Amino acid sequence: MNKPVFVVSPKRVRDNEYPTLDLNAVPPSFRRFCVFVASLNKNGGMSIGAGTLAKIRGGVGIITALHLFSKNSAGILVCFFLENNWCAIELPMSNIIAHSNKLDLAVIKLDYVSSWFQPVDLGPSRGILTTEFYAFGCPQGIFGKVWKAELIAINNNDIYTRGFGAPGVSGGGLFTQYGDTFYLWAIHSSLHVSSQTLVSKMVPML
């Protein structure tokens, strides 16, 4: 099951480039809105990260970190769960419909989203106050890992947490939960390795 079934035929992805699957670290509820995201580079290889299916004006998009992409990016690979299937799709760079350098934010357009998914709302725009967070990432290309994030500080648009950190968590989400509903607060942007402090950028109303 490590090799996903492609919804759209891949053009640039080689067999050894699929993310490794670790379902034990991803609770079923998170599989409905957390995804693996990678920039497919022109010269081969990829820059790996994560993303979140979220409600935006006009529909549903994937929110991830802008720094995953560069002038060398030629496409976008998204791997995700659809019911019991491990799937993937390759998207063109033109599907990035909004971005912010200041917030390290990219929004990827999706033309179709199955009703099985449960896209999250955006927490800060709802005026919700919280100190308890969950985080998701794809460390070193593994799908995926969910952990409880310890809040250290909030400074303007930056949320500092501890709990876990490794290459590949960029673009993953920082969430709160109220009942059965999850809210996306921020996306992981950078990691201070020595202190294992993760810096996540708050997501504005989209």
Side-chain angles (χ1 to χ4, degrees):
M1 198 175 182
N2 268 344
K3 183 176 179 179
V5 176
F6 263 82
V7 179
V8 174
S9 298
K11 298 177 181 178
R12 303 178 183 276
V13 186
R14 295 185 288 268
D15 284 350
N16 64 348
E17 292 181 325
Y18 300 115
T20 302
L21 193 60
D22 183 6
L23 282 186
N24 293 327
V26 186
S29 55
F30 282 82
R31 298 174 202 170
R32 289 178 176 258
F33 55 83
C34 291
V35 300
F36 170 92
V37 176
S39 164
L40 302 174
N41 300 324
K42 296 176 182 177
N43 56 357
M46 59 176 65
S47 301
I48 62 172
T52 303
L53 288 171
K55 299 174 186 177
I56 60 175
R57 278 176 288 185
V60 174
I62 297 172
I63 300 179
T64 187
L66 180 62
H67 76 256
L68 295 176
F69 306 98
S70 69
K71 293 180 180 179
N72 193 39
S73 298
I76 307 164
L77 173 67
V78 180
C79 297
F80 53 91
F81 266 89
L82 180 58
E83 298 182 0
N84 294 318
N85 299 310
W86 178 223
C87 303
I89 189 169
E90 186 177 330
L91 301 170
M93 292 298 295
S94 58
N95 273 45
I96 297 179
I97 57 172
H99 69 274
S100 168
N101 289 297
K102 180 180 179 181
L103 297 176
D104 191 17
L105 172 78
V107 180
I108 302 170
K109 179 183 70 172
L110 295 175
D111 297 319
Y112 169 78
V113 179
S114 166
S115 60
W116 181 84
F117 292 112
Q118 293 181 343
V120 296
D121 285 303
L122 304 180
S125 63
R126 301 294 186 269
I128 296 170
L129 300 177
T130 186
T131 58
E132 294 187 353
F133 291 101
Y134 295 91
F136 172 80
C138 294
Q140 299 174 330
I142 297 172
F143 183 96
K145 184 174 177 64
V146 174
W147 66 95
K148 192 165 184 178
E150 176 192 359
L151 179 64
I152 303 301
I154 299 178
N155 182 16
N156 295 323
N157 290 320
D158 295 341
I159 301 179
Y160 298 81
T161 61
R162 289 198 193 106
F164 181 81
V169 302
S170 289
L174 192 65
F175 307 97
T176 55
Q177 181 181 10
Y178 292 89
D180 295 329
T181 303
F182 287 90
Y183 295 87
L184 175 65
W185 268 70
I187 55 168
H188 311 320
S189 179
S190 61
L191 172 68
H192 299 299
V193 177
S194 59
S195 64
Q196 287 293 286
T197 300
L198 193 60
V199 182
S200 305
K201 301 284 188 181
M202 278 194 186
V203 178
M205 188 66 181
L206 297 170

